[in-house]
């Protein structure tokens, strides 16, 4: 029902905003006036994951984004994502994707920067194309298209 989904939305937002903290199903349920069974049932209904697995999924997603988009050390990322240390992150990473955080970063960082560069260049091209007028806009647009190829 809608009130259940609204309650769950608040829980999910809390989880995502507090990934660096210790998050236990029992504590979350109590904090949001639910039983652990109610919370897990709702999480499974919506996400097909237990609360514990959902929290781990969120932590790994956040760690993955930070590995790809920043130069923050793996140990600092681990702590920021709620892992006790780098080895705890590495263990969960291996369980999830059969790779280490460092290897994941090496394999994916360049592709992220290429994608980001593509978006940035596309935005510059769009901005220049939206201006009416001079040769400078046309030159920048042509240069952007060269970079895209």
């Amino acid at each position: 029902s809608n009130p259940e989904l609204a309650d769950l939305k608040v829980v999910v937002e809390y989880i995502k905003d507090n990934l660096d903290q210790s998050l236990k199903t029992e504590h979350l349920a109590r904090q949001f006036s639910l039983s652990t069974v109610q919370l897990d049932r709702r999480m499974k209904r919506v996400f097909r994951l237990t609360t514990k697995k959902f929290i781990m999924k969120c932590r790994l997603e956040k760690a993955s984004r930070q590995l790809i988009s920043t130069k923050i050390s793996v140990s600092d990322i681990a702590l920021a994502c709620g892992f006790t240390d780098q080895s705890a992150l590495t263990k969960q990473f291996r369980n999830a994707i059969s790779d280490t955080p460092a290897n994941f970063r090496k394999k994916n960082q360049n592709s992220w920067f290429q994608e980001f560069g593509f978006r940035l260049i596309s935005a510059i091209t769009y901005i220049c194309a939206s201006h009416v007028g001079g040769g400078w806009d046309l030159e920048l647009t042509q240069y952007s298209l060269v970079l895209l190829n």
Side-chain angles (χ1 to χ4, degrees), residues 121-141:
I121 291 166
S122 296
I124 291 169
T125 302
Y126 174 78
I127 291 166
C128 292
S130 68
H131 288 294
V132 178
W136 185 81
D137 290 339
L138 180 59
E139 285 177 31
L140 183 56
T141 301

Side-chain angles (χ1 to χ4, degrees), residues 69-142:
S69 64
T70 72
K71 294 191 183 290
I72 299 170
S73 71
V74 176
S75 58
D76 286 343
I77 289 173
L79 296 176
C81 295
F83 295 96
T84 52
D85 56 25
Q86 182 176 339
S87 65
L89 170 61
T90 299
K91 179 182 176 186
Q92 292 300 327
F93 230 80
R94 282 192 183 171
N95 289 341
I97 65 166
S98 302
D99 208 351
T100 66
N103 284 341
F104 176 83
R105 174 178 264 171
K106 284 178 197 167
K107 290 176 188 174
N108 293 287
Q109 201 162 36
N110 287 339
S111 64
W112 183 86
F113 283 119
Q114 288 170 355
E115 183 181 334
F116 176 75
F118 176 83
R119 287 184 187 153
L120 180 62
I121 291 166
S122 296
I124 291 169
T125 302
Y126 174 78
I127 291 166
C128 292
S130 68
H131 288 294
V132 178
W136 185 81
D137 290 339
L138 180 59
E139 285 177 31
L140 183 56
T141 301
Q142 288 174 344

Side-chain angles (χ1 to χ4, degrees), residues 39-55 57-58:
L39 179 56
D40 267 341
R41 190 179 297 137
R42 291 176 189 182
M43 293 296 277
K44 284 179 187 176
R45 194 175 320 145
V46 174
F47 299 107
R48 297 195 169 125
L49 296 169
T50 64
T51 307
K52 184 177 179 178
K53 287 182 179 179
F54 179 80
I55 292 167
K57 178 181 177 288
C58 291

Side-chain angles (χ1 to χ4, degrees), residues 8-26:
L8 193 58
K9 182 179 183 216
V10 173
V11 175
V12 168
E13 287 173 358
Y14 180 85
I15 290 169
K16 290 186 175 188
D17 290 343
N18 293 281
L19 288 172
D20 61 331
Q21 305 296 314
S22 173
L23 298 170
K24 305 279 186 219
T25 304
E26 302 78 30

